[in-house]
Each structure stands twice: as C-alpha cells, then as structure tokens.
C-alpha cells in the first residue's frame, strides 16, 4: 500500500453514483497531477581570455567538483566550446549563474555562464 491514496476520499454520506433526496447532489472526483520540477543545466562557454586555472577554480568552488573532474570539464569546454557544470532546480541554477558571473567580473574575466532546460 502506498502512503498516500491516489484519489482524495469521497465526501461522506453520498456513495458514488447516487443523488440525494432532491436530486441535486453532484459527486466529483478531481484527479490531481503534479509534474516533477523541471531541471536546468548550468553551462560554461569557452573564450580566449579566461585563464584555465580560473575555470577550474569555478568548477571546484561553485559546483563542488574535485580537481581531476574540474580539469576534465574545463578541457572539454576549451575544446568543444561549452560544457555542463551541473544540473539543478531552476532557482539553484539561476543562483549559480549569478554567482559565477559575479566572480568572473570581479576577477576581470569575460567568462560566460548560462542555464538551459535539461
Ligand atoms: N580557452 C581558455 C584559455 O585557453 C580557457 C577556458 C576554458 C576559458 C573554459 C573559458 O569556459 C572556459 N585560456
């Protein structure tokens, strides 16, 4: 048995398919469907100016990758033009993009960070 019934309980006193004495009762079931929240990829884009070490630092600090993984992702971006840093809920992805862009601008680098529906 699941913890939650798939349908809400029927209202008390009126079995399904019956009307009350004056014929006015309406018994309605609403099937509620909740979609899972959409996920978003955060990507870094390649450029010719941001130092490789800065990109590796970003991947470690903001996306919690270890040094090896961060280096592999950075090299993939360097060669392919873009690469995925991580997949998050919409709010978390948007916050990561803002934090990464702010850090890059503070350091004077043109690094671009974007999010896309996964
Ligand atoms: N192409 C940059 C360089 O050669 C390194 C780099 C990698 C920049 C990834 C941005 O998202 C990036 N210094």
């Amino acid at each position: 048995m699941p913890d939650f019934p798939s349908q809400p309980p029927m209202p008390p006193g009126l079995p399904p398919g019956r009307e009350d004495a004056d014929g006015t009762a309406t018994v309605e079931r609403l099937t509620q469907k909740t979609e899972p929240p959409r996920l978003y990829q955060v990507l870094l884009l390649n450029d010719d100016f941001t130092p490789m070490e800065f990109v590796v630092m970003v991947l470690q600090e903001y996306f919690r990758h270890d040094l090896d993984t961060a280096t592999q992702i950075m090299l993939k971006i360097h060669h392919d033009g873009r690469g995925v840093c991580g997949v998050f809920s919409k709010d978390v992805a948007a916050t990561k993009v803002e934090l990464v862009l702010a850090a890059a601008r503070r350091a004077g680098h043109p690094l671009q960070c974007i999010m896309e529906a996964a």
Side-chain angles (χ1 to χ4, degrees):
M1 266 292 267
D3 286 335
F4 301 102
S6 57
Q7 296 273 2
M10 298 297 288
L14 287 172
R18 292 268 199 83
E19 295 176 343
D20 68 8
D22 63 4
T24 58
T26 303
V27 176
E28 191 176 317
R29 276 190 194 278
L30 294 178
T31 302
Q32 302 193 346
K33 282 201 177 152
T34 309
E35 300 298 331
R38 293 208 67 174
L39 293 176
Y40 291 78
Q41 296 181 330
V42 174
L43 299 108
L44 286 174
L45 307 184
N46 189 38
D47 65 73
D48 291 339
F49 305 101
T50 304
M52 291 182 170
E53 295 74 21
F54 184 82
V55 178
V56 170
M57 180 281 291
V58 163
L59 288 162
Q60 291 182 279
E61 292 297 318
Y62 294 94
F63 300 97
R64 311 313 308 172
H65 291 299
D66 63 31
L67 177 61
D68 268 16
T69 307
T71 303
Q72 285 174 29
I73 295 171
M74 182 279 296
L75 287 173
K76 190 228 179 268
I77 301 165
H78 180 70
H79 289 121
D80 299 352
R82 53 192 256 153
V84 177
C85 309
V87 179
F88 308 97
S89 67
K90 191 175 197 177
D91 287 0
V92 172
T95 301
K96 300 258 182 210
V97 168
E98 290 306 315
L99 291 174
V100 169
L101 290 176
R105 297 306 165 262
R106 274 199 306 275
H109 302 312
L111 182 64
Q112 288 297 326
C113 185
I114 62 171
M115 59 191 272
E116 287 180 353

